[in-house]
Amino acid sequence: PDPEVTPHVLDVLAKYGARATFFMIGRHLAQSRAIAERAVEEGHEIGNHSWQHAYLPNLFSTRAQLADIERVEQLIRSLTKSDAPIPYRPPVGLKSPELARAVHVCRLKVIAWSVHSRDTIDSDPQRIARRVLARVRPGDIVLMHDGHQNAATHRRAGAQAVSFILEGLRARELQAVTVQ
């Protein structure tokens, strides 16, 4: 969660009655619990996106992968007070044999995406929305970013695109729901 951007995303989702799954980096979640609590209270899902969002997770051993996954999972469970399965999205979408073993041990559901908004490289909210709406179909998982692995970096463009995307989905009689 990003303390500047995520509340805006939650406001827009509430306005449209939309739901989302937020894959949260554990170290940011630990610092911004109130935002995650709000997300849960408003019907959104919290997923595990690792503790630190390392760019080289494929170099981690199975033991290190397990420790990382379990650390965030404990934090999410303390927040949600639920035993429901917690979806996992690996950093950068990368997978390795070590991660596969860790995921198997933890019985996790690994979530990827079918539509990438490219909001990490595009600063124009309307262009981001057009890109998503040109590709999205029923059942798709749209990847967007409200936070950043670096706490001082804010990704506002994707957050600003959410209202345009939800308007476009509404026009097609589609709705945004959680992964579960």
Side-chain angles (χ1 to χ4, degrees):
D2 181 294
E4 290 184 26
V5 179
T6 306
H8 170 74
V9 173
L10 290 170
D11 291 345
V12 172
L13 292 169
K15 175 182 172 185
Y16 286 88
R19 298 290 175 266
T21 300
F22 289 85
F23 288 91
M24 295 189 175
I25 298 170
R27 64 189 169 96
H28 295 308
L29 174 56
Q31 296 171 348
S32 299
R33 281 183 66 107
I35 296 170
E37 288 168 355
R38 175 185 169 192
V40 170
E41 287 170 12
E42 293 179 6
H44 305 290
E45 179 178 33
I46 305 298
N48 184 338
H49 194 39
S50 82
W51 180 259
Q52 64 185 1
H53 197 282
Y55 274 100
L56 300 173
N58 287 346
L59 300 179
F60 290 3
S61 67
T62 300
R63 178 181 288 165
Q65 298 275 6
L66 278 168
D68 186 271
I69 289 167
E70 290 171 351
R71 185 176 186 185
V72 181
E73 190 161 296
Q74 287 175 358
L75 181 58
I76 292 171
R77 290 206 186 285
S78 75
L79 178 87
T80 63
K81 311 288 190 247
S82 172
D83 290 333
I86 298 170
Y88 179 77
R89 186 168 83 77
V92 200
L94 295 176
K95 299 150 200 82
S96 68
E98 291 77 13
L99 176 61
R101 284 190 277 281
V103 163
H104 178 74
V105 168
C106 294
R107 296 190 151 147
L108 296 176
K109 183 184 283 188
V110 176
I111 305 299
W113 58 90
S114 49
V115 176
H116 195 313
S117 68
R118 303 285 180 226
D119 61 348
T120 58
I121 57 172
D122 193 340
S123 61
D124 182 332
Q126 290 189 354
R127 192 167 46 231
I128 292 167
R130 283 193 304 271
R131 181 179 303 111
V132 169
L133 292 169
R135 293 174 174 84
V136 72
R137 302 290 176 263
D140 275 335
I141 296 175
V142 179
L143 176 63
M144 298 189 73
H145 299 82
D146 59 324
H148 195 284
Q149 66 271 16
N150 299 322
T153 304
H154 307 287
R155 290 184 166 145
R156 292 181 180 87
Q160 293 165 346
V162 171
S163 60
F164 299 126
I165 293 167
L166 292 174
E167 278 291 331
L169 293 177
R170 182 180 277 177
R172 295 184 196 177
E173 298 182 355
L174 295 173
Q175 59 181 325
V177 298
T178 65
V179 168
Q180 296 294 352

